[in-house]
Amino acid sequence: MTNQTITSVSRESRLFKPSAEFKAQANLGSEAAYKKLYAESVNSPERFWERQAKQFLTWRKPFTQVLQWKPPHAKWFGGGTLNVAENCLDRHLGTARENKAAIIFEGEPGDIRTLTYKQLHREVCKCANALELLGLRKGDRAAIYMPMVPEAAVAMLACARLGVVHTVIFGGFSSEAIKDRINDCGARVVITADGGWRRGKIVELKDSVDRALGATPSVEHVVVLKRTGNAVTMKEGRDLWWDDLMAAAPAVHKARAHASEQPLFILYTSGSTGKPKGVLHTSAGYLLGAAMTTHYVFDIKETDIYWCTADIGWITGHSYVVYGPLSVGATVLMYEGAPNQPEPDRFWEIIDRHGVTVFYTAPTAIRAFMRWGDEFVTRHSLASLRLLGSVGEPINPEAWMWYHKMIGKKRCPIVDTWWQTETGAIMVTPLPGITPTKPGSCTRPFFGVVPKILDENGKPVSRGSGGKLFLTQPWPSMLRTLWGDDARFKEQYWSEVPGLYFAGDGARFDEDGYLWVVGRIDDVLNVSGHRIGTAEVESALVSHPSVAEAAAVGRPDELKGQALVCFVTLKGDQRASDELKEALRAHVAREIGAIARPDSLRFAAALPKTRSGKIMRRILKEIAAGGDVKGDITTLEDFNVVASLQAEE
Ligand code: PRX
């Protein structure tokens, strides 16, 4: 990314301070307390994390070593044992939380269900017993491909209870993506559903699993939850109904203690090569990060009804629908479907119906609501809300202001939280009772986080200048490696500047020391808050028999943040046509999932390349954005290529 792009972010001067009222009740309400804790967290991290780990987690056996750091490998809380599911459930039993709602679920068709902590615990125990009966043991992998229903959380927690490593696959991913992920981690069991509801239609999940399973030798069983009631094919001996297994399973399950570093889950995310990366998170450190940030950033109280709109298929759903909020005993609202079903006011209706107090969503959703019109919001009171959050991509100041005025009624602090699949928990964020906010900035580091911005040569940039974002200290919820590929882990995150974690983002600090994240600087796009690797899209395109070469780039998009533009050259005997264009867009959706369907696809006679044969994406980006090709093109092999590409559309 050029400096020009980094500094083009607007200089925002508006400042919003938390109200005295909010401050007075906040879990952390004084700047002095933040400063003191932050200083301790970076100057005496081991003392700080030791205290937090004792405060936020329930241990079976106390840890003896806070951190063993052999860069880039960290081991946190060595010698300690605990059970993550017990921390999310069992420890709330026998307290006032026992009969409190853990999950309030609303399905897209309007069905509503509440599970208390006691009921959720019972379901998780039954599911753990059922999975054990299927032969799953500690360290085995299980894939979860479910709609946003409470059973998805039950399945995750049942795995956690057993020490079975789950990999949740987003319900929008295709069979190809399911197959790759299952094969990469060698999952023995797949937990899925007949379908899920989305925009009034059934998403046929079991069907997608079936198409993946022809080529997944590790899978022994498929557990199928009945959600939509559509017909599915059940393969004798392999496929089992969730309800049958649960009915037969005992409701008591004795949780075993697991080591702090017991792998908890693998979550695949896009990187700069065609193959998704299996980010590995382990138990104690991850849970501490999720729990602590839920407490301080979302300011959770016993009386809150907390709603994070992320799907459990993403890291946000892991940390802030399941592990974080349940570990602090919050009431979590879970909604299955689309924000505009039946009408674009579904979210606001849900907030009023259930009295949601804390609401966490993504900028792309906020921009969609802005576009759908204020009248859908003003129909509802939203009086219960007290705190708003944003995650997934930089929030443009205009969307921030709309969120602040229309949804927060100028009363609710907004926490713009910067973090990643790899970081496991929120890293840079305002604390809602303390930090004055600026629209578009994620403000200041959370405890223990030391961000640094460095230039191309690894040298610090001056304040106000853009550069690459690094984190300099290990933190408990950091990824431990990439599943089965430690070399890539080292290369991807720790080689840019040895010893520092490279986030892959461009950012700058402003004059007040506030952080502004601009976006990815690697070949990863952020489309509607979802990470899509351009290399993955390209490899999907070239897997089509008509395609010779492909290049995928991002173009700024008002609604999605970035839109996906693909340039394709065809094999000699193939002809460009609108039908082929559509077929190729559909092909990518089939290979990866609908979220990766190119917004625009352009046929080209040739792609711009350097003399060494490297596709010059920068040029394609400029062409995709509709602008002139600026900057240096002297390394271009064939100058005519650019002219003909520009003439095409
Ligand atoms: O580019 C940053 C952007 O999303 C990336 C991480 O994506 P993922 O691993 O899918 O996790 C998303 C949810 C945590 C980051 O590298 N990003 C995320 N949050 C923000 C953001 N960019 C700016 N501001 C944010 N608040």
Side-chain angles (χ1 to χ4, degrees), residues 269 314-316 360 363 390-395 416-423 428 440 442 503-505 517-520 526 529-531:
T269 186
W314 309 113
I315 190 68
T316 310
Y360 190 32
S390 169
V391 61
E393 58 179 307
I395 179 166
D416 174 359
T417 61
W418 176 86
W419 59 295
Q420 310 177 294
T421 305
E422 293 87 345
T423 68
V428 182
C442 52
D505 280 341
V517 174
V518 184
R520 306 289 307 189
N526 193 327
H530 299 319
R531 261 165 81 165

Side-chain angles (χ1 to χ4, degrees), residues 124-379:
V124 169
C125 285
K126 284 205 279 182
C127 186
N129 279 319
L131 295 178
E132 233 166 14
L133 282 171
L134 290 182
L136 280 185
R137 296 289 173 265
K138 179 172 173 156
D140 286 344
R141 274 81 59 208
I144 298 174
Y145 185 68
M146 304 267 273
M148 274 296 281
V149 294
E151 286 77 7
V154 169
M156 290 164 77
L157 290 162
C159 289
R161 197 171 185 89
L162 297 173
V164 166
V165 187
H166 60 67
T167 187
V168 182
I169 304 170
F170 171 57
F173 277 127
S174 68
S175 343
E176 276 300 308
I178 302 173
K179 185 191 79 188
D180 291 347
R181 285 157 175 77
I182 288 176
N183 286 339
D184 189 73
C185 70
R188 294 182 62 195
V189 167
V190 181
I191 306 169
T192 186
D194 49 359
W197 291 105
R198 187 88 194 163
R199 281 200 190 87
K201 294 206 184 75
I202 293 174
V203 181
E204 298 193 353
L205 299 169
K206 173 66 164 65
D207 195 51
S208 302
V209 170
D210 286 343
R211 278 183 279 122
L213 289 200
T216 53
S218 60
V219 175
E220 295 158 36
H221 289 292
V222 181
V223 179
V224 187
L225 174 79
K226 215 171 262 176
R227 164 68 187 143
T228 43
N230 52 307
V232 294
T233 323
M234 297 292 279
K235 187 170 170 189
E236 186 77 40
R238 185 194 71 184
D239 300 355
L240 304 151
W241 289 108
W242 168 284
D243 285 349
D244 295 346
L245 289 173
M246 293 289 275
V252 179
H253 180 270
K254 204 165 169 291
R256 272 198 294 272
H258 303 300
S260 295
E261 287 295 336
Q262 167 65 30
L264 179 64
F265 64 85
I266 302 165
L267 188 58
Y268 287 88
T269 186
S270 293
S272 44
T273 75
K275 191 172 170 280
K277 305 178 287 193
V279 169
L280 178 72
H281 283 289
T282 58
S283 298
Y286 168 77
L287 192 65
L288 177 60
M292 229 179 123
T293 46
T294 305
H295 175 80
Y296 285 118
V297 180
F298 297 118
D299 195 49
I300 292 295
K301 305 287 193 292
E302 289 301 341
T303 44
D304 276 314
I305 309 263
Y306 159 90
W307 183 18
C308 163
T309 65
D311 190 281
I312 45 135
W314 309 113
I315 190 68
T316 310
H318 284 59
S319 303
Y320 299 110
V321 176
V322 181
Y323 293 112
L326 295 179
S327 66
V328 302
T331 294
V332 176
L333 190 124
M334 205 172 174
Y335 169 59
E336 177 186 29
N340 53 352
Q341 182 65 27
E343 292 222 38
D345 66 340
R346 184 62 182 269
F347 276 17
W348 322 128
E349 191 183 89
I350 290 176
I351 288 174
D352 274 6
R353 178 163 34 247
H354 301 284
V356 171
T357 55
V358 178
F359 179 65
Y360 190 32
T361 196
T364 185
I366 297 168
R367 290 191 298 266
F369 294 128
M370 286 171 75
R371 198 147 90 169
W372 288 331
D374 294 355
E375 65 274 20
F376 292 107
V377 183
T378 51
R379 280 181 195 168

